[in-house]
Amino acid sequence: MKPFNLVKDIIAERGSIEEVYWVACGGSLIDLLPAHMLLERESRRIASSAYTAREFCITAPKRLGEHSLVVACSHSGNTPEVLDACALAHERGAAVVALTDDADSKIAREPLICWVYPWGADVPAGEVPSGIAPLIAAELLDQQEGYADLADLYQGVAVMDDVLPAARAKVNAELAGRFAALCREHPFLYIVGSGPNFCQTYGFAICSLMEMQWQNCCYIHSGEYFHGPFEVTEPGVFYFLQMGSSEFRAMDERARAFLEEHTDTLIVLDALDYGMDKVPASARAYLDPVLFYAMNVELRAARGKVFDHDPDYRRYMGVVPY
Amino acid sequence: MKPFNLVKDIIAERGSIEEVYWVACGGSLIDLLPAHMLLERESRRIASSAYTAREFCITAPKRLGEHSLVVACSHSGNTPEVLDACALAHERGAAVVALTDDADSKIAREPLICWVYPWGADVPAGEVPSGIAPLIAAELLDQQEGYADLADLYQGVAVMDDVLPAARAKVNAELAGRFAALCREHPFLYIVGSGPNFCQTYGFAICSLMEMQWQNCCYIHSGEYFHGPFEVTEPGVFYFLQMGSSEFRAMDERARAFLEEHTDTLIVLDALDYGMDKVPASARAYLDPVLFYAMNVELRAARGKVFDHDPDYRRYMGVVPY
């Protein structure tokens, strides 16, 4: 499937799209958030909202209808909350696109547009949700209103396939050992980031560390940091700062300056040192999350080795009833 | 100032409002979020977004213009990020309403509609931002599109003045002592909540605990809890669950059932036991945050006494350069 054709067909069928809802849970929701922020920032007419799937069904926005596009994602294709959300959207007459890794899953049997994506470290950035979703947003924007930075975004997505292998090697050589060692010495840590990349600040916390490593931690927005959370900073409190490469970086730079002065336990991962300078400037904000996701994967794997905790092991998810 | 007249005058001047931006930082942003969620859920035409002020300036939404309403809040009236956001909005021709506690502050001298509110535990719920903001959202909705639940919301805001004193007494008698004692025994806790009240889940963490008590903690959405964060739950890990009284409660109930089974260190504050049953059902989602804010204040005060840490003391905010 191609974002251009997908969007073209939806617009042809609907006349126009007036609002987009990005709906998923946990890691899959995280991959949709930068696309939501792109649309919210750039569109002069389309409203955009993002929801964890259960909350979407409870809140059921009044304007959800025939001119709405719902982009849902369920990696397994069997997430009950996402299936419910897709059913609600379909019932209201919305166009529904569901991204999933499994062509044989429940979601693939629903009356919706199903985009089955491949998965794995070698899959091109444009073929997984974190690449597909911003391209859907950008195509919708371009085909309905024009989007001058569309070509830059496509180019940026392609460049990520060169950026990631080198970045993985670099983070393992330079940061992973220290990260795992600091996790040994501290019962919890704060992860700090901003802009569209805040999705991966959240993702590092809830997926890579809480879910896959049983590591206590918290996620803090670099801009909000100065309006409360910074009071907890002191030597011995462990911070991991995700420095973005885009215009949102100004917030991360301010946080870095404060953190360098007020804690002795800081790791900074600067996207500009990890290849994001090769991405066109207008696309960086939406592709920093692709970099940081890949870095999160390496860091949790490194921690997993030191703690003898396989990131694929679960004690509750899919194991006990809930 | 009255929400009805404020909104009437803005609509009269602008013809119509097409989008609303809720812009502030930290605790002030928290007070605007339920209003954003009300509008996003109920409006068939108005788009709504909420931003921490610095991010709003960086992202500067393209549609921000003459048919936009920006509702900003700065308690001190001197928050630089909020002043910048108001200046940007004014430059783009938007209607700007700024809420502040200080009539002599910088924001009160800007060319915008300034709403000076009183502050303190005895001030009626309808006269502080957490009451004003949902009423502005509801009036805008009602005057442009109709909002069947408007009267219920006004009634609910009035009822909160009866609910809060009894709730404060109850939380101090029943939960505050155990909360402070558990903070002594645990380096870290998770606060769990959902729906519009998630703003106060976040607020309990970043304002009441990190800022005012230097207590390490994290905020988790009850719906998202099952998509990653629950793997970190085990006996000895401290959770504080905010059970809402509205339709979003279903997510909190599911979290409670899991937490009761998988940790031995759980405090549940159930809004329905704290007077929210007296609030009209349609208004509960937007007024639970008023209850939980008041509860957060009592709990941090109780912790402060046990730790000899005055919640008004700051080591960085307004003290050191940043």
Side-chain angles (χ1 to χ4, degrees):
Chain A
M1 215 175 277
K2 297 283 177 199
F4 173 82
N5 295 321
L6 174 80
V7 168
K8 187 167 160 277
D9 292 348
I10 291 169
I11 294 174
E13 194 195 74
R14 305 274 158 174
S16 73
I17 291 298
E18 303 295 330
E19 53 272 316
V20 180
Y21 299 100
W22 309 88
V23 181
C25 303
S28 293
L29 176 59
I30 287 161
D31 278 348
L32 303 181
L33 292 171
H36 157 60
M37 290 184 72
L38 191 161
L39 213 50
E40 199 167 51
R41 178 186 196 175
E42 297 291 343
S43 177
R44 295 182 180 277
R45 210 183 71 204
I46 307 161
S48 181
S49 308
Y51 294 90
T52 190
R54 184 83 186 270
E55 192 149 301
F56 180 73
C57 290
I58 292 173
T59 203
K62 283 238 174 35
R63 65 194 284 170
L64 175 64
E66 290 180 11
H67 291 283
S68 307
L69 169 62
V70 172
V71 181
C73 182
S74 167
H75 188 72
S76 71
N78 297 318
T79 317
E81 296 93 327
V82 178
L83 289 163
D84 289 348
C86 289
L88 168 72
H90 179 71
E91 202 181 285
R92 291 275 200 93
V96 184
V97 174
L99 311 178
T100 183
D101 178 48
D102 187 351
D104 298 321
S105 62
K106 287 182 187 167
I107 211 164
R109 297 195 289 272
E110 294 293 316
L112 44 71
I113 305 163
C114 187
W115 182 324
V116 179
Y117 58 81
W119 193 245
D122 295 333
V123 175
E127 294 181 22
V128 293
S130 59
I132 294 167
L135 290 172
I136 290 175
E139 280 291 353
L140 181 60
L141 199 52
D142 189 58
Q143 293 182 33
Q144 289 202 169
E145 308 175 29
Y147 180 44
D149 297 323
L150 181 69
D152 275 3
L153 183 62
Y154 274 105
Q155 193 198 324
V157 170
V159 167
M160 292 311 295
D161 296 330
D162 294 329
V163 167
L164 294 184
R168 287 188 189 104
K170 185 175 165 75
V171 79
N172 278 307
E174 295 180 8
L175 294 184
R178 183 158 174 249
F179 175 73
L182 286 177
C183 287
R184 268 238 173 283
E185 294 160 21
H186 296 82
F188 65 86
L189 71 146
Y190 289 101
I191 304 144
V192 180
S194 71
N197 192 59
F198 188 66
C199 70
Q200 288 299 341
T201 311
Y202 177 61
F204 194 27
I206 73 150
C207 295
S208 294
L209 296 178
M210 293 180 197
E211 175 179 342
M212 299 184 178
Q213 290 292 296
W214 309 352
Q215 166 76 55
N216 293 304
C217 57
C218 185
Y219 47 104
I220 298 287
H221 188 283
S222 312
E224 288 278 281
Y225 175 66
F226 294 97
H227 300 278
F230 74 155
E231 283 284 335
V232 89
T233 305
E234 61 185 27
V237 182
F238 176 16
Y239 284 84
F240 186 96
L241 174 63
Q242 298 175 323
M243 293 275 296
S245 68
S246 75
E247 54 283 3
F248 295 90
R249 176 182 176 86
M251 292 185 280
D252 308 327
E253 284 173 339
R254 188 181 179 208
R256 180 173 60 183
F258 190 89
L259 285 163
E260 283 175 346
E261 195 166 348
H262 295 281
T263 181
D264 55 3
T265 316
L266 171 65
I267 293 181
V268 178
L269 202 171
D270 186 338
L272 284 179
D273 293 340
Y274 280 74
M276 290 303 293
D277 54 312
K278 298 180 186 70
V279 172
S282 71
R284 284 180 198 158
Y286 311 107
L287 297 174
D288 271 346
V290 174
L291 171 74
F292 279 101
Y293 170 72
M295 301 300 92
N296 295 348
V297 169
E298 298 306 309
L299 292 165
R300 77 192 183 207
R303 188 194 178 286
K305 274 180 200 152
V306 168
F307 282 74
D308 194 22
H309 185 133
D310 179 353
D312 288 334
Y313 180 72
R314 301 289 180 279
R315 53 179 158 183
Y316 305 132
M317 192 179 278
V319 177
V320 304
Y322 51 88
Chain B
M1 214 172 275
K2 297 284 178 200
F4 174 82
N5 296 321
L6 173 80
V7 168
K8 189 168 159 277
D9 292 349
I10 290 169
I11 294 174
E13 194 196 76
R14 304 275 158 172
S16 73
I17 292 298
E18 303 295 330
E19 54 271 316
V20 180
Y21 298 101
W22 309 89
V23 181
C25 303
S28 293
L29 176 59
I30 287 162
D31 278 348
L32 303 181
L33 293 172
H36 157 61
M37 290 184 72
L38 191 160
L39 213 50
E40 200 167 50
R41 179 187 195 174
E42 298 291 343
S43 178
R44 293 181 181 277
R45 212 185 68 204
I46 307 161
S48 180
S49 308
Y51 294 90
T52 190
R54 183 83 185 270
E55 192 149 302
F56 179 73
C57 289
I58 292 173
T59 202
K62 283 238 174 33
R63 63 194 285 169
L64 175 64
E66 291 180 11
H67 291 281
S68 306
L69 169 62
V70 172
V71 181
C73 183
S74 167
H75 188 73
S76 72
N78 297 318
T79 316
E81 295 93 327
V82 178
L83 289 163
D84 289 348
C86 288
L88 167 73
H90 179 72
E91 202 181 285
R92 290 275 199 93
V96 183
V97 174
L99 310 178
T100 182
D101 178 48
D102 187 351
D104 298 322
S105 62
K106 286 183 187 166
I107 211 164
R109 297 195 290 274
E110 294 294 315
L112 44 72
I113 304 164
C114 187
W115 181 323
V116 180
Y117 58 81
W119 192 245
D122 295 334
V123 175
E127 294 180 22
V128 293
S130 58
I132 295 167
L135 290 172
I136 291 175
E139 281 290 355
L140 182 61
L141 199 52
D142 189 57
Q143 293 182 35
Q144 289 203 168
E145 308 174 29
Y147 179 45
D149 297 323
L150 181 68
D152 275 3
L153 184 61
Y154 273 105
Q155 193 197 324
V157 170
V159 167
M160 292 310 295
D161 296 330
D162 294 329
V163 167
L164 295 184
R168 286 188 189 103
K170 186 176 165 74
V171 80
N172 278 306
E174 295 179 8
L175 294 185
R178 182 158 175 249
F179 175 72
L182 287 177
C183 286
R184 268 239 174 283
E185 294 160 22
H186 296 82
F188 185 84
L189 73 146
Y190 289 100
I191 304 145
V192 180
S194 71
N197 192 59
F198 188 65
C199 70
Q200 288 299 341
T201 312
Y202 177 61
F204 194 26
I206 73 151
C207 295
S208 293
L209 296 178
M210 293 180 197
E211 176 180 341
M212 299 185 178
Q213 290 291 297
W214 309 352
Q215 167 75 56
N216 293 303
C217 58
C218 185
Y219 48 103
I220 298 287
H221 188 284
S222 312
E224 287 278 280
Y225 175 66
F226 294 96
H227 299 278
F230 74 154
E231 283 284 335
V232 90
T233 305
E234 61 185 26
V237 182
F238 177 15
Y239 284 83
F240 186 96
L241 175 62
Q242 298 175 324
M243 291 276 296
S245 68
S246 76
E247 55 283 5
F248 294 91
R249 176 181 177 87
M251 291 185 281
D252 307 328
E253 283 174 340
R254 188 181 180 208
R256 181 174 59 183
F258 190 89
L259 285 164
E260 282 176 346
E261 195 166 348
H262 295 282
T263 181
D264 55 3
T265 317
L266 171 65
I267 293 181
V268 178
L269 201 170
D270 186 338
L272 284 179
D273 293 339
Y274 280 73
M276 290 303 294
D277 54 313
K278 299 180 185 69
V279 172
S282 70
R284 285 180 197 157
Y286 311 106
L287 297 175
D288 271 346
V290 174
L291 171 74
F292 279 101
Y293 170 71
M295 300 301 91
N296 295 348
V297 169
E298 298 306 309
L299 292 165
R300 78 193 182 206
R303 188 195 178 285
K305 275 181 198 152
V306 168
F307 282 75
D308 194 21
H309 185 133
D310 179 352
D312 287 334
Y313 180 72
R314 302 288 181 277
R315 53 180 158 183
Y316 305 132
M317 192 178 280
V319 178
V320 303
Y322 52 87

